[in-house]
Amino acid sequence: MTALREILLRRISTTGPMSLADYMTECLLHPAHGYYTTRDPLGAGGDFTTAPEISQMFGELIGLSLAQAWVDQGAPSAFVLAEPGPGRGTLMADMLRATARVPGFHGAARLHLVEASPALRAVQAQALPHAIWHDRLDQLPDDLPLFLVANEFFDALPIRQFVRDGGGWRERVVGRDGDALVFGLTSPMPLADLEHRLDDTQDGDMVEVSPALPALAGEIGGRIAAKGGAALIIDYGGRGRTGDSFQAVRGHVKVDPLAEPGEADLTAHVDFEALAHASAPAACAGPVPQGVFLERLGITERARALASRLEGAALDAHVAAHRRLTHPEEMGDLFRVAALHPCNAPPPPGTET
């Protein structure tokens, strides 16, 4: 039994079953036993691999897309360049390398990272020693244009799950059965926040809600609408979907999310429709498939240029990385890219719909 599991069992015995959002928060961010607060989960030796760790091409093209958005908005002389949940700092480091030749871009950029994990902050400092760190998005400077990238950030936000029962909803909760953590359902109740989902669901359908998403998307969208800038949001998900997308990954394999709390990464699909709605008055372009986005930005041409200097196993790995990022059967169609931008400015290249 993990230490966190014992803590959660005692809590449930005292206060009753907890929402899935509360469970995810404890598993990911518990100060002593949380998944993100105690380790670096990335890479081959970790539990999962994100796109920036697969190939430098991903970060390079993200950086150039945001740099063009900066140029399209008149190349403001100072702006916040930000990333929430920056992992090892690989994505931002690749972005900065690719934009080094964009005249004025680095001189105007003020680099800010939003990271709650002390372990990951230490890793990020090695790649990005000049960054300024914050615990929360709302701590970013609000007096400058904001150019932001969020890669696999929103999928880690805690969710609540509801199952339709007639004109009401049962919430899926985490309870205990002896020493085991188990799922259960509350009694049905009407929920004003889910009335709009009665039109596109049937009895037994499950819908997921991220309580933190509206405030975070609103924070980003509000700043971009007021001061200018753009945000590229890359994640897996869709628009107003139904079904259970909650999952746990450990050692690059899906595992039981209740088996070893605090020892696996927990994620869920992102509702891009809710994100677009919450980010108003900023405009939202997309989401478009990641493969389409990267092809529009010229990833195949970049891949060929890099391939000309490789051979053998290195070339094979490079070709495999290109496929993994772009092919519809891999990350190319699973992941989506949405862009937030001012209504009077074009969206960042690659996200046009």
Side-chain angles (χ1 to χ4, degrees):
M1 180 181 296
T2 66
L4 183 56
R5 182 179 172 190
E6 190 171 352
I7 292 170
L8 296 177
L9 288 171
R10 288 201 303 267
R11 172 177 167 177
I12 292 168
S13 294
T14 303
T15 62
M18 64 177 64
S19 71
L20 190 55
D22 287 344
Y23 176 76
M24 290 182 68
T25 299
E26 291 293 331
C27 289
L28 297 177
L29 298 176
H30 187 280
H33 307 295
Y35 181 76
Y36 289 140
T37 54
T38 58
R39 73 201 71 204
D40 173 4
L42 294 163
D47 292 313
F48 59 90
T49 302
T50 60
E53 306 292 333
I54 293 171
S55 171
Q56 69 185 68
M57 298 183 292
F58 183 81
E60 290 172 348
L61 296 176
I62 292 285
L64 293 174
S65 178
L66 278 185
Q68 185 59 54
W70 173 75
V71 171
D72 290 342
Q73 294 183 39
S77 58
F79 68 92
V80 173
L81 179 61
E83 183 181 4
R88 291 176 170 172
T90 304
L91 171 57
M92 185 58 71
D94 289 340
M95 290 172 57
L96 290 173
R97 185 181 63 255
T99 55
R101 295 184 180 181
V102 178
F105 187 79
H106 280 202
R110 310 291 184 264
L111 180 58
H112 292 258
L113 305 177
V114 180
E115 179 57 70
S117 167
L120 286 174
R121 279 195 185 194
V123 177
Q124 293 155 15
Q126 299 299 312
L128 304 164
H130 302 298
I132 298 172
W133 279 265
H134 306 277
D135 294 321
R136 304 189 313 272
L137 264 172
D138 61 9
Q139 295 173 332
L140 291 173
D142 60 3
D143 57 343
L144 295 172
L146 173 64
F147 290 82
L148 176 145
V149 59
N151 180 59
E152 294 197 54
F153 170 74
F154 283 92
D155 67 4
L157 297 181
I159 61 164
R160 296 174 70 182
Q161 293 180 323
F162 299 91
V163 177
R164 181 172 172 180
D165 188 328
W169 302 88
R170 295 176 180 266
E171 182 167 8
R172 193 185 194 198
V173 293
V174 178
R176 68 175 296 171
D177 181 4
D179 287 337
L181 293 167
V182 295
F183 287 118
L185 293 172
T186 65
S187 299
M189 68 189 85
L191 293 173
D193 289 345
L194 290 179
E195 276 193 27
H196 67 289
R197 297 306 308 267
L198 295 175
D199 295 332
D200 64 355
T201 57
Q202 309 176 53
D203 272 7
D205 283 350
M206 176 180 284
V207 300
E208 297 175 336
V209 177
S210 173
L213 182 146
L216 293 173
E219 183 77 29
I220 298 169
R223 293 185 182 212
I224 288 172
K227 295 292 184 178
L232 287 172
I233 298 167
I234 308 102
D235 233 313
Y236 53 92
R239 289 183 173 272
R241 61 183 301 280
T242 61
D244 178 11
S245 73
F246 179 52
Q247 69 173 18
V249 174
R250 184 178 185 185
H252 300 269
V253 176
K254 290 184 180 180
V255 296
D256 181 349
L258 301 185
E260 295 183 286
E263 297 298 320
D265 185 40
L266 303 178
T267 63
H269 284 207
V270 175
D271 183 346
F272 280 96
E273 185 175 4
L275 190 150
H277 184 267
S279 63
C284 182
V288 299
Q290 176 178 291
V292 172
F293 170 77
L294 294 173
E295 291 293 357
R296 287 175 175 176
L297 295 177
I299 190 171
T300 296
E301 289 78 5
R302 176 59 174 155
R304 287 171 179 156
L306 291 173
S308 65
R309 292 174 270 172
L310 301 173
E311 59 184 19
L315 178 59
D316 292 341
H318 174 65
V319 172
H322 175 266
R323 176 184 170 84
R324 188 171 178 189
L325 290 174
T326 62
H327 197 279
E329 294 180 1
E330 299 203 37
M331 297 177 75
D333 205 37
L334 174 63
F335 282 77
R336 297 284 191 272
V337 183
L340 307 181
H341 60 98
C343 292
N344 61 355
T351 62
E352 306 88 346
T353 52

